[in-house]
Amino acid sequence: MIYSCCVFVYCMFECFKTKSSINYHLLFTLVLFSLIVTTIYLKVKEPIFHQVMYGMLVFTLVLRSIYIVTWVYPWLRGLGYTSLTVFLLGFLLWNVDNIFCDSLRNFRKRAPPILGVTTQFHAWWHILTGLGSYLHILFSLYTRTLYLRYRPKVKFLFGVWPMVMFEPQRKH
């Protein structure tokens, strides 16, 4: 989670750069951050530490995304805020599951199977954060391709699954 989120952070901060530029300072900082978090987590084995470090990276992404949809590409608000909302809903359900784990287990023992399945909030956490992350990848792709002067479009595969499609801008 830490490593993939660092890739997101790099992409979101470098989306307005030329094709061939590499920000070695940011790259070094993110790699170092990942290695330090990994080393400390392996020694301490405290999930809260990992969650706080991951939360810091997500918070950084949220701030950068809000900047982009507020000041640079305001027409991307729908995609940016949808990805954030889906991700945060997953996070909320995961916390509900953590706080009320025993109560939810007892409820599932008494509830009809279909209700028991739908109250597996830890599973919903994985589904919703996965979907929110995917939508954020689309947001990142859309932002980058706009900057590179491509004409991106969000299309829906089978009418439901969003994808970014683009074609190069024609030279006149």
Side-chain angles (χ1 to χ4, degrees):
M1 288 170 54
I2 297 290
Y3 290 87
S4 62
C5 202
C6 281
V7 170
F8 281 148
V9 168
Y10 184 84
C11 290
M12 290 307 296
F13 278 89
E14 294 299 295
C15 64
F16 302 117
K17 304 290 179 165
T18 61
K19 287 183 186 181
S20 60
S21 69
I22 298 173
N23 185 339
Y24 290 105
H25 182 264
L26 180 60
L27 190 61
F28 175 78
T29 302
L30 291 169
V31 168
L32 184 63
F33 175 82
S34 299
L35 293 173
I36 289 171
V37 169
T38 300
T39 303
I40 292 172
Y41 183 67
L42 288 173
K43 290 193 181 290
V44 177
K45 295 183 175 67
E46 180 58 53
I48 300 291
F49 170 74
H50 179 268
Q51 292 161 1
V52 168
M53 295 298 106
Y54 179 68
M56 286 174 37
L57 289 170
V58 170
F59 184 70
T60 301
L61 280 174
V62 167
L63 289 180
R64 180 65 174 175
S65 299
I66 289 171
Y67 166 77
I68 290 170
V69 300
T70 302
W71 301 105
V72 185
Y73 298 133
W75 59 88
L76 291 181
R77 279 189 185 128
L79 184 56
Y81 290 151
T82 299
S83 70
L84 177 62
T85 301
V86 169
F87 189 92
L88 289 176
L89 179 60
F91 180 73
L92 174 74
L93 291 176
W94 175 66
N95 279 290
V96 168
D97 190 67
N98 281 335
I99 294 166
F100 300 107
C101 185
D102 293 333
S103 302
L104 286 169
R105 281 188 185 160
N106 291 332
F107 171 76
R108 282 188 215 105
K109 287 178 185 175
R110 296 185 312 268
I114 190 71
L115 199 54
V117 169
T118 58
T119 60
Q120 294 284 344
F121 294 147
H122 187 90
W124 283 109
W125 146 255
H126 287 284
I127 292 167
L128 293 172
T129 56
L131 179 59
S133 296
Y134 175 76
L135 292 172
H136 195 271
I137 290 169
L138 287 183
F139 174 75
S140 299
L141 282 170
Y142 205 99
T143 302
R144 179 70 174 148
T145 55
L146 276 173
Y147 178 76
L148 293 175
R149 300 195 188 282
Y150 289 82
R151 291 183 298 219
K153 292 182 180 167
V154 175
K155 295 194 176 188
F156 292 88
L157 184 64
F158 306 117
V160 293
W161 195 253
M163 299 172 48
V164 172
M165 307 296 285
F166 60 93
E167 53 189 71
Q169 192 169 22
R170 295 190 178 120
K171 294 180 182 181
H172 298 280

